[in-house]
Amino acid sequence: MANKPDENQSIPPNSSPVPSPAPTSAPEEPYSIFDKRQKALIILLVSTAATFSGFASNIYFPALPTIAHDLDISIELVNLTVTSYLVFQGLAPSLWGPISDVRGRQVAYCCTFLVFLAACIGLAEAKNYATLIVLRCLQSIGSASTIAIGSGVIGDITTRAERGGFMGIFQAGLLVPVAVGPVIGGALAGSLGWRSIFWFLAIYSGAFLICLIILLPETLRPIVGNGCRTPSNPIAKFPLQIYQKTTKIEWIPEPPNSQPAARKGIDVTGPFRILTSKHAAPIIIFLAVYYAVWQMSITAMSSLFEERYNLTETQIGLTFIANGAGSMIGTLIAGKILDIDYRRVKAQHEASSSPTDIEHYNGLARSSISSQDSFPLEKARLRLVPIFSLVQCLSILLFGWTIQYPARIHIAVPIVSTFITGWTAVSAQSVVMTYLVDIFSDRSAAASASLNLARCLFAAGGTSFIMPLASSIGVGLAFTVCVIVQAVALLGVAIQWKFAPKWRREMERAEGEKVQG
């Protein structure tokens, strides 16, 4: 029995065998039984789940000076809690991503939120620096994987032709904390103390976990197929059955005696192998560098605005709104552009291909893409990346050199630069994330985890030395050095564009031969 439905083949209706074929073709099984309303709810749920990673990180920034004073430690030591959070934010999805690709999305979500909830309660009661940094690492383990798992869910229920728009919505949702997190954090720290930040996160995560269990269906295709197969897990069974009864998509229930696809073992090395694969490493390293510089600018904002513009905690929190707004607007627009670009390139490709080639390539079915597919995926997904990169470099230079001279340049200028940086940084991230889910469709959570691993480790290193670097050579020169590194990282995009199509087809051919063998 097939492991997952193939849209290029008709599936007969449930009826007794007949000696001769039916005169009319059987209805074609949909790639996913979830209709538009249901997909919108699922995207809303996974996007909200992904906000916890950003909330736990960004809500914390305005309180850094206060925590340093309250625990009687230096600002450099408090910044190390940001660094440690980013390190585990990179490592944790390498565990939870493969688990969600094998055991199911719901199981992974429940485990991560329980860890996050326990860490938040502990942080709210932390009395010393050692407790703070250890529990921040645990908090990161619980929250960071929600992005990788959410990317896996989107890969389960969407096709290439529509994935860019949904991924843009997902990225916009998870970036809400970038805009409102610092505002909430600044308000809570300024009025109720910094511990109230973690009580807020504990209450928020506990309430949302209940909603997640009740409303989110299992979507992992080896377990539920396109949604027509009911899982044995009672927690996962309940919401999926509701979706099956209310969907407007016509679908054919699987026979009761059907068995789910054989489960693969949990491969925790999968994200590391994707990260080091030649057809993914160049673009992942490129994005990791650009993400790191973005995080370095965000981390430096609190201290620089307090030191050079004498802002309060609440005022510092408000300065983060521009970065968050740019991030959300950028990813929404990038998602729409991705879908438009994909349809345009697909139409051009089909127009220049023979009817046999067109039939061979079906943009709505990922499983139909073979090693012989010549579709220019890199052209469809990556051609806007250099533009985003150039604009981000300019905005980082603007931020560094304007904040260097606070007496001569109004604070509005560096704040506007953070809007542009947020816009371009997450637009590039949305593009690369969608591209990786496309080429690793059967390991979408692991692919997202590999990207997360690289960008968080790079960001952890960057945020640990940006303030010492700025103190020694000046803010303007420090961020100029960052931009030079970004310019070098653009070589990764060039390598991906030129060589990745060939490498990708070699990978698909090798995997096909392995399956046949």
Side-chain angles (χ1 to χ4, degrees), residues 4-19:
K4 58 183 177 180
D6 184 353
E7 289 185 281
N8 292 332
Q9 297 178 356
S10 296
I11 296 179
N14 295 330
S15 58
S16 301
V18 292

Side-chain angles (χ1 to χ4, degrees), residues 1-4 101-103 220-225 229 258-266:
M1 181 170 293
N3 292 344
K4 58 183 177 180
D101 280 340
V102 176
R103 299 301 179 187
L220 184 65
R221 298 185 75 86
I223 295 178
V224 300
R229 184 188 304 138
S258 64
Q259 297 295 323
R263 293 189 184 182
K264 302 177 291 183
I266 297 174

Side-chain angles (χ1 to χ4, degrees), residues 38-79:
Q38 294 173 335
K39 285 183 179 179
L41 177 58
I42 292 171
I43 298 299
L44 174 62
L45 288 169
V46 299
S47 297
T48 304
T51 63
F52 284 88
S53 180
F55 263 127
S57 176
N58 289 275
I59 201 172
Y60 185 67
F61 288 143
L64 293 179
T66 303
I67 293 173
H69 180 269
D70 189 44
L71 297 181
D72 194 23
I73 55 177
S74 66
I75 192 67
E76 286 78 16
L77 283 177
V78 177
N79 283 341

Side-chain angles (χ1 to χ4, degrees), residues 349 353 356-358 360-361 368-376 501-502 504-510 512-513 516:
H349 174 68
S353 303
T356 303
D357 293 333
I358 295 174
H360 175 74
Y361 176 79
S368 66
I369 302 171
S370 73
S371 60
Q372 301 303 318
D373 176 34
S374 60
F375 181 73
K502 176 184 175 182
R504 179 164 47 83
R505 285 191 288 271
E506 289 175 352
M507 176 198 70
E508 292 168 350
R509 186 180 299 111
E513 292 173 353
Q516 292 176 0

Side-chain angles (χ1 to χ4, degrees), residues 6-310:
D6 184 353
E7 289 185 281
N8 292 332
Q9 297 178 356
S10 296
I11 296 179
N14 295 330
S15 58
S16 301
V18 292
S20 59
T24 59
S25 60
E28 191 169 316
E29 186 175 5
Y31 182 76
S32 173
I33 70 165
F34 303 113
D35 60 32
K36 290 184 178 180
R37 298 173 302 112
Q38 294 173 335
K39 285 183 179 179
L41 177 58
I42 292 171
I43 298 299
L44 174 62
L45 288 169
V46 299
S47 297
T48 304
T51 63
F52 284 88
S53 180
F55 263 127
S57 176
N58 289 275
I59 201 172
Y60 185 67
F61 288 143
L64 293 179
T66 303
I67 293 173
H69 180 269
D70 189 44
L71 297 181
D72 194 23
I73 55 177
S74 66
I75 192 67
E76 286 78 16
L77 283 177
V78 177
N79 283 341
L80 281 179
T81 66
V82 177
T83 301
S84 62
Y85 184 93
L86 288 169
V87 169
F88 282 88
Q89 191 178 46
L91 294 174
S94 300
L95 170 65
W96 295 115
I99 288 176
S100 78
D101 280 340
V102 176
R103 299 301 179 187
R105 312 303 186 193
Q106 269 205 337
V107 170
Y109 269 131
C110 290
C111 293
T112 56
F113 272 101
L114 288 173
V115 172
F116 180 79
L117 176 60
C120 288
I121 295 173
L123 282 165
E125 296 294 329
K127 303 298 183 183
N128 53 61
Y129 177 71
T131 303
L132 179 71
I133 195 167
V134 169
L135 289 179
R136 278 289 284 174
C137 296
L138 188 63
Q139 185 187 44
S140 181
I141 292 173
S143 66
S145 302
T146 55
I147 298 175
I149 301 170
S151 299
V153 171
I154 294 176
D156 294 335
I157 66 174
T158 62
T159 63
R160 276 187 178 180
E162 63 182 350
R163 187 173 300 133
F166 281 115
M167 193 65 77
I169 295 171
F170 173 68
Q171 293 280 343
L174 66 90
L175 289 166
V176 169
V178 178
V180 303
V183 178
I184 296 174
L188 288 173
S191 58
L192 301 176
W194 62 268
R195 298 179 190 278
S196 64
I197 292 174
F198 298 109
W199 282 121
F200 168 79
L201 291 174
I203 295 170
Y204 178 30
S205 60
F208 181 75
L209 177 58
I210 296 173
C211 295
L212 203 67
I213 293 173
I214 296 173
L215 298 176
L216 183 69
E218 180 58 65
T219 62
L220 184 65
R221 298 185 75 86
I223 295 178
V224 300
N226 65 352
C228 67
R229 184 188 304 138
T230 303
S232 57
N233 185 340
I235 296 179
K237 181 187 298 184
F238 167 72
L240 181 58
Q241 287 179 329
I242 301 299
Y243 280 76
Q244 290 173 340
K245 293 176 181 178
T246 58
T247 183
K248 295 182 179 179
I249 301 291
E250 294 184 5
W251 59 285
I252 304 168
E254 276 204 359
N257 60 350
S258 64
Q259 297 295 323
R263 293 189 184 182
K264 302 177 291 183
I266 297 174
D267 182 13
V268 295
T269 64
F272 296 94
R273 286 188 284 105
I274 291 174
L275 178 59
T276 56
S277 63
K278 61 183 179 181
H279 56 287
I283 197 68
I284 290 177
I285 292 174
F286 153 78
L287 186 71
V289 170
Y290 277 72
Y291 179 84
V293 173
W294 178 38
Q295 289 299 306
M296 290 161 71
S297 66
I298 293 175
T299 303
M301 278 177 63
S302 297
S303 300
L304 290 175
F305 281 156
E306 181 192 41
E307 172 189 338
R308 294 168 184 260
Y309 291 99
N310 299 316

Side-chain angles (χ1 to χ4, degrees), residues 229-471:
R229 184 188 304 138
T230 303
S232 57
N233 185 340
I235 296 179
K237 181 187 298 184
F238 167 72
L240 181 58
Q241 287 179 329
I242 301 299
Y243 280 76
Q244 290 173 340
K245 293 176 181 178
T246 58
T247 183
K248 295 182 179 179
I249 301 291
E250 294 184 5
W251 59 285
I252 304 168
E254 276 204 359
N257 60 350
S258 64
Q259 297 295 323
R263 293 189 184 182
K264 302 177 291 183
I266 297 174
D267 182 13
V268 295
T269 64
F272 296 94
R273 286 188 284 105
I274 291 174
L275 178 59
T276 56
S277 63
K278 61 183 179 181
H279 56 287
I283 197 68
I284 290 177
I285 292 174
F286 153 78
L287 186 71
V289 170
Y290 277 72
Y291 179 84
V293 173
W294 178 38
Q295 289 299 306
M296 290 161 71
S297 66
I298 293 175
T299 303
M301 278 177 63
S302 297
S303 300
L304 290 175
F305 281 156
E306 181 192 41
E307 172 189 338
R308 294 168 184 260
Y309 291 99
N310 299 316
L311 300 187
T312 64
E313 291 169 330
T314 303
Q315 290 172 330
I316 291 172
L318 292 174
T319 63
F320 283 83
I321 293 178
N323 178 71
S327 302
M328 288 187 289
I329 294 172
T331 192
L332 285 172
I333 294 177
K336 296 298 182 183
I337 293 175
L338 273 172
D339 281 350
I340 293 172
D341 259 8
Y342 185 89
R343 288 193 292 266
R344 181 186 296 119
V345 174
K346 179 172 178 279
Q348 294 172 351
H349 174 68
E350 291 181 346
S352 61
S353 303
S354 65
T356 303
D357 293 333
I358 295 174
E359 184 178 355
H360 175 74
Y361 176 79
N362 182 347
L364 297 178
R366 293 175 297 173
S367 59
S368 66
I369 302 171
S370 73
S371 60
Q372 301 303 318
D373 176 34
S374 60
F375 181 73
L377 185 60
E378 284 70 25
K379 179 180 179 182
R381 294 303 196 203
L382 302 179
R383 59 181 175 175
L384 292 178
V385 169
I387 297 176
F388 294 141
S389 306
L390 176 61
V391 177
Q392 183 182 343
C393 289
L394 295 176
S395 67
I396 289 293
L397 285 174
L398 181 64
F399 175 81
W401 284 106
T402 54
I403 210 170
Q404 174 87 18
Y405 304 103
R408 295 162 53 185
I409 300 176
H410 194 273
I411 190 174
V413 179
I415 290 177
V416 169
S417 74
T418 65
F419 175 89
I420 301 171
T421 302
W423 180 309
T424 53
V426 300
S427 293
Q429 181 173 304
S430 180
V431 169
V432 174
M433 181 80 76
T434 305
Y435 171 73
L436 290 175
V437 171
D438 282 347
I439 62 177
F440 297 103
S441 57
D442 60 333
R443 294 167 286 167
S444 50
S448 177
S450 69
L451 179 62
N452 192 73
L453 173 65
R455 67 188 179 92
C456 289
L457 291 182
F458 275 56
T463 55
S464 67
F465 71 74
I466 183 59
M467 287 307 296
L469 181 64
S471 299

